Amino acid sequence: NKKPDNEEETNNYVSKDNTARIYDEKEHDKVIDSLKDKAILKDIKTVTRKIESKLPFSTSSLQQEAGLTLHLDSASITSAAQYLYEHGFVTYIRTDGVNMSKEFVFKARKFIETQYGAQYVGPIKKGIIATNNSNPHEAIRVTSLSRTPDAVKKYFGDKTTKEYKLYKLIYERTL
């Protein structure tokens, strides 16, 4: 393996064991084009990975995720979540629960099957369906899956509002 002249461009792809990790076709084509006549391609492996869905949001996990992905401070997240709750878009926002009602879980599975196909309906994660436990509140979730982010954006002005961004984040985690 000859080391490429344009080292800065290709270092993003080469791992410690001197193998490249490329995750999509565009990235693959870009790397191959940048290495023409500079390196020898020995092997290509295609790997399919299964990504597990994350648990629904509790108050603290919503704060963490929204802070990291939406770059909002805690006060902004809390006020946007409170607005969504007061206007009936999401369930109660002060909860430690990560479970959902049995009825909602089965409606969600049916919705996913209808909208996206049966191949996208995965197994129900252990602990998702609410049982008789000490936490009276469900996880933070949307109140209706038919209220897609695109369908409700008119209620939030444009797509840049913190309420819209937070609703979209909660909707995607709910599914």
Side-chain angles (χ1 to χ4, degrees), residues 131-152:
T131 57
N132 294 336
N133 64 11
S134 60
N135 192 343
H137 299 292
E138 287 185 71
I140 300 170
R141 64 168 175 82
V142 296
T143 54
S144 172
L145 289 169
S146 62
R147 288 188 194 167
T148 64
D150 284 340
V152 300

CSV table of all heavy atoms in Angstrom, one decimal, residues 131-152:
chain,number,residue,atom,x,y,z
A,131,THR,N,-46.6,-1.6,32.2
A,131,THR,CA,-47.2,-2.6,33.1
A,131,THR,C,-47.6,-1.9,34.4
A,131,THR,O,-47.4,-0.7,34.5
A,131,THR,CB,-46.2,-3.7,33.4
A,131,THR,OG1,-45.0,-3.1,34.0
A,131,THR,CG2,-45.7,-4.5,32.2
A,132,ASN,N,-48.1,-2.6,35.3
A,132,ASN,CA,-48.5,-2.0,36.6
A,132,ASN,C,-47.3,-1.7,37.4
A,132,ASN,O,-46.9,-2.5,38.3
A,132,ASN,CB,-49.4,-2.9,37.4
A,132,ASN,CG,-50.8,-3.1,36.7
A,132,ASN,OD1,-51.2,-2.2,35.9
A,132,ASN,ND2,-51.4,-4.2,36.9
A,133,ASN,N,-46.6,-0.6,37.1
A,133,ASN,CA,-45.4,-0.2,37.9
A,133,ASN,C,-45.7,1.1,38.7
A,133,ASN,O,-46.8,1.7,38.6
A,133,ASN,CB,-44.2,-0.1,37.0
A,133,ASN,CG,-44.3,1.0,35.9
A,133,ASN,OD1,-45.2,1.8,36.0
A,133,ASN,ND2,-43.4,1.0,35.0
A,134,SER,N,-44.7,1.6,39.3
A,134,SER,CA,-44.8,2.7,40.2
A,134,SER,C,-44.8,4.1,39.4
A,134,SER,O,-45.2,5.1,40.0
A,134,SER,CB,-43.7,2.7,41.2
A,134,SER,OG,-42.5,2.8,40.6
A,135,ASN,N,-44.4,4.1,38.1
A,135,ASN,CA,-44.4,5.3,37.4
A,135,ASN,C,-45.8,5.5,36.6
A,135,ASN,O,-46.1,4.7,35.7
A,135,ASN,CB,-43.3,5.3,36.4
A,135,ASN,CG,-43.0,6.7,35.8
A,135,ASN,OD1,-43.9,7.6,35.9
A,135,ASN,ND2,-41.9,6.9,35.2
A,136,PRO,N,-46.6,6.5,37.0
A,136,PRO,CA,-47.9,6.6,36.4
A,136,PRO,C,-47.9,7.3,35.0
A,136,PRO,O,-48.9,7.3,34.4
A,136,PRO,CB,-48.6,7.6,37.4
A,136,PRO,CG,-47.5,8.4,38.0
A,136,PRO,CD,-46.3,7.5,38.1
A,137,HIS,N,-46.7,7.8,34.6
A,137,HIS,CA,-46.6,8.5,33.3
A,137,HIS,C,-45.9,7.7,32.3
A,137,HIS,O,-44.9,7.1,32.5
A,137,HIS,CB,-46.0,9.9,33.5
A,137,HIS,CG,-46.7,10.8,34.4
A,137,HIS,ND1,-47.9,11.3,34.2
A,137,HIS,CD2,-46.3,11.2,35.7
A,137,HIS,CE1,-48.3,12.1,35.2
A,137,HIS,NE2,-47.3,12.0,36.1
A,138,GLU,N,-46.4,7.8,31.0
A,138,GLU,CA,-45.7,7.2,29.9
A,138,GLU,C,-44.5,8.0,29.5
A,138,GLU,O,-44.3,9.1,30.0
A,138,GLU,CB,-46.6,7.2,28.7
A,138,GLU,CG,-47.8,6.3,28.7
A,138,GLU,CD,-48.5,6.3,27.3
A,138,GLU,OE1,-48.0,5.8,26.3
A,138,GLU,OE2,-49.6,6.9,27.3
A,139,ALA,N,-43.7,7.5,28.6
A,139,ALA,CA,-42.6,8.2,28.1
A,139,ALA,C,-43.1,9.4,27.3
A,139,ALA,O,-44.3,9.5,27.0
A,139,ALA,CB,-41.8,7.3,27.1
A,140,ILE,N,-42.2,10.4,27.0
A,140,ILE,CA,-42.6,11.5,26.2
A,140,ILE,C,-42.8,11.0,24.8
A,140,ILE,O,-41.8,10.5,24.2
A,140,ILE,CB,-41.6,12.6,26.3
A,140,ILE,CG1,-41.5,13.1,27.7
A,140,ILE,CG2,-42.0,13.8,25.4
A,140,ILE,CD1,-40.3,14.1,28.0
A,141,ARG,N,-43.9,11.2,24.2
A,141,ARG,CA,-44.2,10.7,22.8
A,141,ARG,C,-45.2,11.7,22.2
A,141,ARG,O,-45.9,12.4,22.9
A,141,ARG,CB,-44.7,9.3,22.8
A,141,ARG,CG,-46.0,9.1,23.5
A,141,ARG,CD,-46.6,7.8,23.2
A,141,ARG,NE,-47.9,7.5,24.0
A,141,ARG,CZ,-49.1,8.0,23.7
A,141,ARG,NH1,-49.2,8.7,22.6
A,141,ARG,NH2,-50.1,7.7,24.4
A,142,VAL,N,-45.4,11.6,20.9
A,142,VAL,CA,-46.4,12.3,20.2
A,142,VAL,C,-47.8,11.7,20.6
A,142,VAL,O,-47.9,10.6,20.9
A,142,VAL,CB,-46.2,12.4,18.7
A,142,VAL,CG1,-45.0,13.1,18.4
A,142,VAL,CG2,-46.3,11.0,18.1
A,143,THR,N,-48.8,12.6,20.6
A,143,THR,CA,-50.1,12.1,20.9
A,143,THR,C,-50.8,11.4,19.7
A,143,THR,O,-51.7,10.6,19.9
A,143,THR,CB,-51.0,13.2,21.4
A,143,THR,OG1,-51.0,14.3,20.5
A,143,THR,CG2,-50.5,13.7,22.8
A,144,SER,N,-50.4,11.7,18.5
A,144,SER,CA,-51.0,11.1,17.3
A,144,SER,C,-49.9,11.0,16.2
A,144,SER,O,-49.3,12.0,15.9
A,144,SER,CB,-52.1,12.0,16.8
A,144,SER,OG,-52.6,11.5,15.5
A,145,LEU,N,-49.8,9.8,15.7
A,145,LEU,CA,-48.8,9.5,14.7
A,145,LEU,C,-49.2,10.1,13.4
A,145,LEU,O,-48.4,10.4,12.5
A,145,LEU,CB,-48.5,8.1,14.5
A,145,LEU,CG,-47.7,7.4,15.7
A,145,LEU,CD1,-47.7,5.9,15.6
A,145,LEU,CD2,-46.3,8.0,15.7
A,146,SER,N,-50.5,10.4,13.2
A,146,SER,CA,-50.9,11.0,11.9
A,146,SER,C,-50.5,12.5,11.9
A,146,SER,O,-50.6,13.1,10.8
A,146,SER,CB,-52.4,10.8,11.8
A,146,SER,OG,-53.1,11.5,12.8
A,147,ARG,N,-50.1,13.0,13.0
A,147,ARG,CA,-49.6,14.4,13.0
A,147,ARG,C,-48.1,14.4,12.7
A,147,ARG,O,-47.3,14.5,13.6
A,147,ARG,CB,-49.9,15.1,14.4
A,147,ARG,CG,-51.3,15.4,14.7
A,147,ARG,CD,-51.3,16.2,15.9
A,147,ARG,NE,-52.6,16.4,16.5
A,147,ARG,CZ,-52.9,16.8,17.7
A,147,ARG,NH1,-51.9,17.1,18.5
A,147,ARG,NH2,-54.1,16.9,18.1
A,148,THR,N,-47.8,14.1,11.5
A,148,THR,CA,-46.4,14.1,11.1
A,148,THR,C,-45.8,15.5,11.2
A,148,THR,O,-46.5,16.5,11.2
A,148,THR,CB,-46.2,13.6,9.6
A,148,THR,OG1,-46.9,14.6,8.8
A,148,THR,CG2,-46.9,12.2,9.4
A,149,PRO,N,-44.5,15.6,11.3
A,149,PRO,CA,-43.8,16.9,11.4
A,149,PRO,C,-44.3,17.8,10.2
A,149,PRO,O,-44.5,19.0,10.5
A,149,PRO,CB,-42.3,16.6,11.4
A,149,PRO,CG,-42.3,15.2,12.0
A,149,PRO,CD,-43.5,14.5,11.5
A,150,ASP,N,-44.4,17.3,9.0
A,150,ASP,CA,-44.8,18.1,7.9
A,150,ASP,C,-46.2,18.6,8.1
A,150,ASP,O,-46.6,19.7,7.7
A,150,ASP,CB,-44.6,17.4,6.6
A,150,ASP,CG,-43.2,17.3,6.1
A,150,ASP,OD1,-42.4,18.1,6.6
A,150,ASP,OD2,-42.9,16.4,5.3
A,151,ALA,N,-47.1,17.7,8.6
A,151,ALA,CA,-48.5,18.1,8.8
A,151,ALA,C,-48.7,19.2,9.9
A,151,ALA,O,-49.7,19.9,9.8
A,151,ALA,CB,-49.3,16.8,9.2
A,152,VAL,N,-47.8,19.2,10.8
A,152,VAL,CA,-48.0,20.2,11.9
A,152,VAL,C,-47.1,21.5,11.8
A,152,VAL,O,-47.2,22.4,12.6
A,152,VAL,CB,-47.8,19.6,13.3
A,152,VAL,CG1,-48.8,18.4,13.5
A,152,VAL,CG2,-46.4,19.1,13.5
